[in-house]
Amino acid sequence: MSGSTAAAVTAGAGPAGTAASAGSSRVWRVTAAAWLLILAVALVSAGLTVAGWDGFRLHDGFWNLAILPAAVLYASLGVLIVRRAGGNPTGWLLLGVGLAQSVMALTSGWAILGVRHPGTLPDPRLAAALAEWCFVPVLCGSAFLFLLFPDGRLPSRRWRPFAAVSLILTALALIGTLVHPRVLYMPAPGGVSLAVLNPLGVRSLGPVLSAVLIGTLDGASAVFVVILGGALAGLVIRYRSGTIQTRQQIKWILLIVLAGLVFQAVALLALAANHGRSSLAVSIAYTAMPVIALFGTPAVITLAILKHGLYQIDVIISRAVQYGLLSAVLTGVYVAIVIGIGTLAGYSGGGSGLSVAAAVAVALLFQPVRQRAQRVANRFVYGERASPYQVLADLAEDMGGQLDADLVLDRMAAVLAGATGAVQVGVWICVGGELRPRVVWPRTADGSGPAAPVSLAPGGGPGAGPGGLPDLGPVSRAVAVRHSGELLGALTIVKPPSEPVSAAEDRLLAQLASQAGLVLRNARLTAELQATIDDLRASRRRLVQAQDAERQRIERNLHDGAQQQLVALRIQLGLLDAVADDPAGVRETAGQLRTGLAAALDDLRALARGIYPPLLADQGLGAALRAQASRAALPVTVAADDIGRYPRETEAAVYFCILEALQNTAKYAGASTASVALAASGGQLEFTVTDDGAGFDVAAAGDGTGLQGMTDRLAAVGGTVAIESAPGHGTTVSGCLPAGELTGERATALVH
């Protein structure tokens, strides 16, 4: 553990950390109690609905049951958001809407059962008033949910007056619903199974209070439209000024809002056209709107959190799906036992025995259903991927039981790919002044290695990319791996273009990077050791090759330089016998022998000093070749007037190749004359050596040491050699090599 981490842990254990832990514990207890209360209310509501089933119209009965899973879903999301993002009021708002829904269903069932079966339950008409009153917070709370989406705050401070007016209108609707004298239709809102007078209605309100207090469902719907219209405007503002992630979230919310507005507009137009009386269009619209509010709203919020990182915690959705599935299954089992078995047994309203049996069945199924719901929720949130916590646990296990750093890195890349859904994962290590890709997942089918290393900033400082890293190519995310401030490597992932990196995956990468420091340090030490070994091996190979090349150079220089001159002297000594009777010819030949011997001695001295012929160094190819041609055993012409100066290795390669060709001509061709031509064009230096000798079959003849020496010498400087010959038509040896002519100071420096 680094010093900074240890300090953070120590600080967290102080009074502030204790207070934060205590506050978190209180929030957990409160939210858990609220969720259990809503679940209990939902189960009791299901029991009352089933018990009073004969008092419900079929549509109303199913509707009252359908509210219950929606209430638990709202509550589950709210509880989990409060726990993980306590500063966001959206969680408490979802929790409140879920509570209001469950109480509305409970009191609706209470009212119908109590009225249809007098004496079974106390104050059924008061329960009816409470049921319709609960519809106001459900309706207006849903509108406030959109107003505060996605961060739980208003779009700006300028929206505070609108929020205040909305709260006042909601309060007027809450008061008016209680005291306005009217008929209550059960189940709330607007059912047809029961109609009772409002027991809390005040007939002496007067015209002013009757107008100010909003006491009808239509009035509450109008308040909802006002708040929702403002929320829609706020979403538009958020969309225009928000990030790409915020815009994607708002697109889903706008979809559900527009659907609700369409149905609300249809209902209002139908009421206006029918003079305030209900019609089929009104019924359809007011049926669709609660369905959207009950199931559409939590669905799109869930989708926004799941796909775009709202509240930055994917585990919220996993728990919400888990508890939602659990509640739905257990409620379904309870209803199926009480209604199904009760109907078959002839009990229209169920019985206490069936209720006890249903409760026992729910208790027995709770744990297996919870486990299965957890697996389904994890698959829903993470797909076929492992959860982030499972990834860290698997990595810790691999690090503890694996000694091979490369195998640990392979495992790390594979696990990270499985957890994030990445199409490619890279593990980079820092060696020297560059980042080298050590492991790439998946490995390519052809076995090709990873990408090329990337140089770090000068001095090993931070790069221009995120996290102080250099540009590592087209990756979706790159995270630096550091230990005590030292850069050890990096982790990179590449995801499909249609799937952005979520906040949970960002945290997983950061946590994995913090855990991978030791592994990458070991891998870097291994890589540095291997690089040192490779450098030593390459250095030894280069030394051996250089020694061999130097020996071969000396051998070629002796063969092509001094040996050629000594061969010429031997031939001239043979000619001395032919002029033995001619004193003048003897003196001339002896002078040529002295001159050739002196030149041979100069070449040997130059070779002993490790340089090539001084004339070549001083005056270039033209002068050096003419000097050699004047000493050749046969007449040789040299055409090199337009040839300038070239690098030393280039001039040496051309010079000794031409000498080798002239020596072969004198020894084997039986030629009477030979010619040498040099030309330079397009950055290429070309030469040809042509003789009028007997020629030979190139295909049938093998490569001798002379030809192989010319080939190797030119190949060392990127050149090529070719031979053209045929019996009776002489031989042409040509060569070509890339060469840039030296000018000005560079040519002068070559001479000196």
Side-chain angles (χ1 to χ4, degrees):
M1 181 181 294
S2 63
S4 59
T5 305
V9 172
T10 303
T18 304
S21 177
S24 176
S25 177
R26 286 194 298 271
V27 169
W28 160 241
R29 289 195 298 268
V30 171
T31 53
W35 187 85
L36 290 175
L37 173 63
I38 293 173
L39 179 61
V41 171
L43 291 176
V44 174
S45 301
L48 289 176
T49 303
V50 171
W53 192 257
D54 57 344
F56 281 89
R57 298 288 181 90
L58 185 62
H59 174 270
D60 287 344
F62 283 113
W63 174 252
N64 210 52
L65 291 176
I67 294 176
L68 303 178
V72 177
L73 178 61
Y74 269 89
S76 300
L77 283 171
V79 168
L80 293 171
I81 292 174
V82 168
R83 287 189 58 198
R84 306 308 296 247
N88 193 325
T90 306
W92 294 106
L93 192 55
L94 283 170
L95 187 62
V97 172
L99 178 61
Q101 288 173 337
S102 62
V103 173
M104 182 175 67
L106 173 67
T107 50
S108 294
W110 185 296
I112 293 176
L113 180 61
V115 172
R116 297 299 185 188
H117 300 275
T120 56
L121 294 173
D123 298 324
R125 289 174 174 78
L126 183 61
L130 180 60
E132 199 151 285
W133 179 86
C134 287
F135 177 66
V136 176
V138 169
L139 196 63
C140 297
S142 300
F144 275 103
L145 188 64
F146 295 129
L147 181 63
L148 300 178
F149 183 85
D151 54 6
R153 296 190 297 268
L154 294 173
S156 68
R157 297 173 61 91
R158 291 178 295 180
W159 283 79
R160 290 183 177 179
F162 175 79
V165 171
S166 299
L167 289 174
I168 292 172
L169 290 176
T170 302
L172 292 176
L174 288 172
I175 299 172
T177 303
L178 283 178
V179 301
H180 200 280
R182 58 192 178 85
V183 178
L184 307 175
Y185 297 95
M186 294 291 107
V192 295
S193 299
L194 178 67
V196 296
L197 291 175
N198 183 8
L200 301 177
V202 179
R203 298 185 180 277
S204 59
L205 287 177
V208 176
L209 289 179
S210 297
V212 171
L213 297 178
I214 305 170
T216 63
L217 294 181
D218 293 338
S221 299
V223 173
F224 170 77
V225 170
V226 170
I227 302 174
L228 191 60
L232 180 59
L235 289 174
V236 172
I237 293 174
R238 292 180 193 268
Y239 185 88
R240 295 180 60 183
S241 61
T243 62
I244 295 177
Q245 175 177 309
T246 302
R247 292 184 177 186
Q248 293 299 324
Q249 295 168 331
I250 292 176
K251 285 179 182 179
W252 290 100
I253 295 298
L254 288 179
L255 177 64
I256 204 68
V257 169
L258 290 175
L261 288 176
V262 167
F263 283 110
Q264 179 64 42
V266 169
L268 293 177
L269 290 175
L271 285 172
N274 203 27
H275 304 289
R277 294 190 298 270
S278 182
S279 63
L280 179 61
V282 174
S283 299
I284 294 176
Y286 279 136
T287 300
M289 287 179 59
V291 171
I292 292 174
L294 291 177
F295 300 101
T297 300
V300 296
I301 290 177
T302 300
L303 184 60
I305 296 173
L306 178 63
K307 292 297 182 181
H308 303 288
L310 184 62
Y311 308 125
Q312 302 181 354
I313 186 65
D314 286 342
V315 72
I316 294 176
I317 299 302
S318 176
R319 297 291 175 81
V321 173
Q322 175 186 344
Y323 293 142
L325 288 174
L326 177 64
S327 303
V329 171
L330 295 182
T331 302
V333 169
Y334 186 92
V335 172
I337 291 177
V338 175
I339 292 182
I341 298 179
T343 302
L344 293 176
Y347 297 101
S348 60
S352 59
L354 289 178
S355 299
V356 172
V360 172
V362 167
L364 293 176
L365 291 174
F366 180 85
Q367 184 63 17
V369 172
R370 189 192 66 81
Q371 294 176 348
R372 182 61 181 173
Q374 182 176 2
R375 289 194 295 268
V376 172
N378 286 337
R379 181 171 298 180
F380 177 69
V381 175
Y382 302 108
E384 297 297 330
R385 312 169 190 171
S387 67
Y389 308 101
Q390 188 63 39
V391 171
L392 296 175
D394 291 345
L395 177 62
E397 182 178 355
D398 290 338
M399 291 173 60
Q402 183 61 258
L403 298 178
D404 192 331
D406 286 338
L407 293 180
V408 174
L409 295 180
D410 286 334
R411 175 62 177 163
M412 180 192 304
V415 170
L416 182 57
T420 60
V423 297
Q424 187 181 74
V425 174
V427 180
W428 303 64
I429 60 174
C430 181
V431 179
E434 61 184 15
L435 280 174
R436 300 180 182 178
R438 187 58 177 263
V439 172
V440 173
W441 182 96
R443 296 187 179 275
T444 55
D446 57 1
S448 60
V454 178
S455 298
L456 294 171
L469 295 174
D471 184 10
L472 299 179
V475 299
S476 302
R477 193 73 82 241
V479 179
V481 178
R482 300 180 184 274
H483 182 73
S484 299
E486 179 186 6
L487 180 63
L488 301 178
L491 302 177
T492 60
I493 62 172
V494 178
K495 300 202 63 178
S498 60
E499 185 178 353
V501 180
S502 68
E505 291 166 350
D506 273 331
R507 283 193 306 281
L508 172 61
L509 277 170
Q511 293 169 359
L512 194 60
S514 66
Q515 298 293 326
L518 181 61
V519 178
L520 261 65
R521 180 178 289 278
N522 293 337
R524 187 180 74 170
L525 292 176
T526 303
E528 289 176 343
L529 179 60
Q530 186 62 46
T532 302
I533 294 173
D534 292 342
D535 289 343
L536 289 174
R537 289 175 177 171
S539 177
R540 293 177 63 183
R541 285 195 297 267
R542 288 193 296 270
L543 288 174
V544 173
Q545 292 171 357
Q547 293 172 354
D548 291 342
E550 184 64 19
R551 285 194 295 268
Q552 293 173 4
R553 185 188 68 83
I554 295 173
E555 180 182 354
R556 287 195 302 269
N557 291 346
L558 286 171
H559 179 273
D560 300 338
Q563 179 177 324
Q564 191 269 348
Q565 293 171 339
L566 293 174
V567 169
L569 290 174
R570 179 183 177 183
I571 295 174
Q572 289 176 343
L573 285 172
L575 296 175
L576 188 61
D577 291 337
V579 296
D581 297 334
D582 183 4
V586 170
R587 285 193 299 271
E588 181 182 357
T589 303
Q592 293 176 353
L593 288 173
R594 283 193 300 270
T595 302
L597 183 59
L601 289 174
D602 290 340
D603 285 348
L604 288 174
R605 291 190 187 99
L607 182 64
R609 294 195 303 267
I611 61 175
Y612 55 98
L615 190 59
L616 178 62
D618 292 340
Q619 300 183 29
L621 283 170
L625 290 174
R626 290 188 183 95
Q628 288 294 333
S630 66
R631 297 191 292 268
L634 73 164
V636 177
T637 60
V638 177
D641 295 335
D642 299 328
I643 299 302
R645 300 307 306 273
Y646 293 91
R648 297 173 65 92
E649 61 273 11
T650 300
E651 291 183 341
V654 172
Y655 176 80
F656 287 113
C657 283
I658 292 176
L659 290 187
E660 176 68 23
L662 291 174
Q663 181 178 343
N664 291 338
T665 298
K667 292 172 62 176
Y668 308 113
S672 59
T673 61
S675 64
V676 176
L678 288 89
S681 63
Q684 299 287 325
L685 180 60
E686 301 176 353
F687 69 90
T688 58
V689 179
T690 305
D691 66 66
D692 59 353
F696 64 97
D697 187 357
V698 178
D703 293 340
T705 56
L707 179 59
Q708 186 63 53
M710 286 190 289
T711 302
D712 292 342
R713 188 182 290 275
L714 288 180
V717 291
T720 58
V721 65
I723 298 178
E724 296 178 5
S725 183
H729 293 84
T731 302
T732 299
V733 178
S734 61
C736 178
L737 66 163
E741 185 175 353
L742 301 179
T743 59
E745 296 180 358
R746 297 180 63 191
T748 304
L750 179 65
V751 174
H752 297 288

